[in-house]
Amino acid sequence: MSHRLIKSALKPFLLLVALVSFSVTAVSFAQQANADSSDKPQYSAVYKEAKKHLGTSYVYGATGPTHFDCSGFTKYVYKKSIGKAIPRTAQAQYRGTKKVSKSHVKKGDLVYFGSSTFGISHVGMYIGNGKMIDSQNRGVVTEKVYAPWWHVVGFSRPATLSYD
């Protein structure tokens, strides 16, 4: 067989090998992208757990599930819904989680209230549209973040959540 004949017979085979390799690589990248997004905990799980406790009574120092204080509620919701442990008190939750700016706040982030970032006295979970779910003297409720009785001092992200 001549060198030219071998070369011309080899071209379609090499093209087929290249196409198969490209297809396998593309499928692998697509699977990895899907795995990356599904590896993130879902906001819907966190929100669903929080909503289950609407109306639960407030008791100072309580960590649930029959009574909550503000930080006991956020701690319980994150642990129960996605297995994420966060510190016990509102001040410690602020110190121990990643800070985010008001312009980058997302559903599931925590919002803190008080006199300053050194004097945090309350925490709630942001649920979108300027609202939060929190435990306060009326129990676990949904309310506006920017209300006359609250002074927002910061936001944090206890976990990176997926919003699918």
Side-chain angles (χ1 to χ4, degrees), residues 43 106-108 125-132 142-143 145:
Y43 165 71
K106 293 183 176 183
K107 294 176 185 178
M125 186 181 79
Y126 186 71
I127 59 172
N129 298 318
K131 293 184 178 180
M132 67 176 170
T142 299
E143 63 179 326
V145 170

Side-chain angles (χ1 to χ4, degrees), residues 4 9 15 23 26 29 33 45 55 58 95 114 135-136 146 148 153-154 164:
R4 182 186 257 175
L15 181 61
S23 297
F29 278 126
Y58 176 90
R95 279 196 313 265
S135 180
Q136 39 105 323
Y146 296 98
V153 296
D164 300 340

Side-chain angles (χ1 to χ4, degrees), residues 6 17 27 30 42 60 66 78 80 117 134 138-139 143 160:
I6 293 172
V17 168
V27 167
Q42 295 287 314
Y60 180 80
T66 57
Y78 263 90
K80 182 80 171 169
T117 56
D134 65 325
R138 294 180 292 140
E143 63 179 326
T160 302

Side-chain angles (χ1 to χ4, degrees), residues 6-164:
I6 293 172
K7 215 173 170 185
S8 67
L10 205 53
K11 278 184 183 180
F13 175 73
L14 291 175
L15 181 61
L16 180 64
V17 168
L19 286 173
V20 168
S21 295
F22 177 76
S23 297
V24 168
T25 302
V27 167
S28 176
F29 278 126
Q31 287 173 337
Q32 183 61 43
N34 287 339
D36 288 347
S37 66
S38 65
D39 285 349
K40 290 181 188 174
Q42 295 287 314
Y43 165 71
S44 60
V46 177
Y47 181 61
K48 182 179 176 183
E49 184 62 38
K51 270 184 35 175
K52 273 201 263 185
H53 302 284
L54 285 169
T56 301
S57 62
Y58 176 90
V59 173
Y60 180 80
T63 57
T66 57
H67 308 288
F68 294 104
D69 71 5
C70 65
S71 56
F73 175 69
T74 53
K75 179 179 177 59
Y76 180 89
V77 166
Y78 263 90
K79 183 66 173 174
K80 182 80 171 169
S81 64
I82 63 170
K84 174 70 176 179
I86 60 175
R88 170 61 187 96
T89 67
Q91 188 72 56
Q93 288 175 8
Y94 181 76
R95 279 196 313 265
T97 54
K98 180 185 175 190
K99 307 316 166 278
V100 293
S101 66
K102 178 182 174 181
S103 62
H104 290 98
V105 70
K106 293 183 176 183
K107 294 176 185 178
D109 288 348
L110 299 181
V111 55
Y112 301 91
F113 305 87
S115 57
S116 72
T117 56
F118 299 103
I120 292 172
S121 57
H122 187 69
V123 61
M125 186 181 79
Y126 186 71
I127 59 172
N129 298 318
K131 293 184 178 180
M132 67 176 170
I133 187 168
D134 65 325
S135 180
Q136 39 105 323
N137 61 357
R138 294 180 292 140
V140 177
V141 296
T142 299
E143 63 179 326
K144 292 180 181 177
V145 170
Y146 296 98
W149 50 89
W150 295 126
H151 178 248
V152 177
V153 296
F155 301 90
S156 76
R157 184 161 298 144
T160 302
L161 302 172
S162 176
Y163 300 93
D164 300 340

